[in-house]
Amino acid sequence: MAVQQRTYTRYTLDSISVLGKLIREGRKTRRMTETELAERLGIARSTVQRVEKGDPKVEIGIMFEAAALVGVPLFDANQREVQAHSARLDDRLAVLPKHVRKVTAKIIDDF
């Protein structure tokens, strides 16, 4: 059985790479070693290296937590603004249908 290779768009790969570089810059600016950041995150040093190289297979939670620990702002907003934005999105999502289904049968409305 062949394993399917996941592909990513260039935009996705470039964005993850930029985030990784920002994390590396933030870590070095704070004079943290890879080992110190790994200990704070509860991960292996090799995973920190993968984060900083922009490996798309690293969990997004680890990427975001690493960014937070080294001072890289996410979404160009502070925590309060992110929480407010999340609440607004919850309100908008509440009025949308719970399920989305494709219409499989053609509706004939010629009377």
Side-chain angles (χ1 to χ4, degrees), residues 15-63:
S15 297
I16 295 169
S17 176
V18 167
L19 180 57
K21 290 173 184 177
L22 288 169
I23 291 169
R24 179 181 302 137
E25 178 187 42
R27 176 182 59 78
K28 288 184 174 190
T29 299
R30 287 179 163 56
R31 298 187 179 269
M32 290 177 83
T33 66
E34 291 174 349
T35 303
E36 290 170 330
L37 182 56
E39 288 173 359
R40 295 277 311 272
L41 290 167
I43 60 175
R45 184 175 151 260
S46 61
T47 306
V48 169
Q49 292 170 338
R50 289 177 48 217
V51 164
E52 292 182 352
K53 287 180 182 171
D55 183 344
K57 294 185 180 174
V58 174
E59 291 180 24
I60 193 167
I62 291 173
M63 294 286 286

Side-chain angles (χ1 to χ4, degrees), residues 7 9 13-14 25 28 33 43 59 62-64 73 78 80 91 94 96-97 99-101:
T7 58
T9 63
L13 293 173
D14 289 345
E25 178 187 42
K28 288 184 174 190
T33 66
I43 60 175
E59 291 180 24
I62 291 173
M63 294 286 286
F64 279 23
N78 62 35
R80 197 168 288 212
D91 292 342
L96 292 173
H99 303 282
V100 177
R101 295 186 180 100

Side-chain angles (χ1 to χ4, degrees), residues 78-90:
N78 62 35
Q79 183 176 358
R80 197 168 288 212
E81 290 172 0
V82 170
Q83 288 172 338
H85 186 67
S86 178
R88 286 191 303 275
L89 286 170
D90 286 341

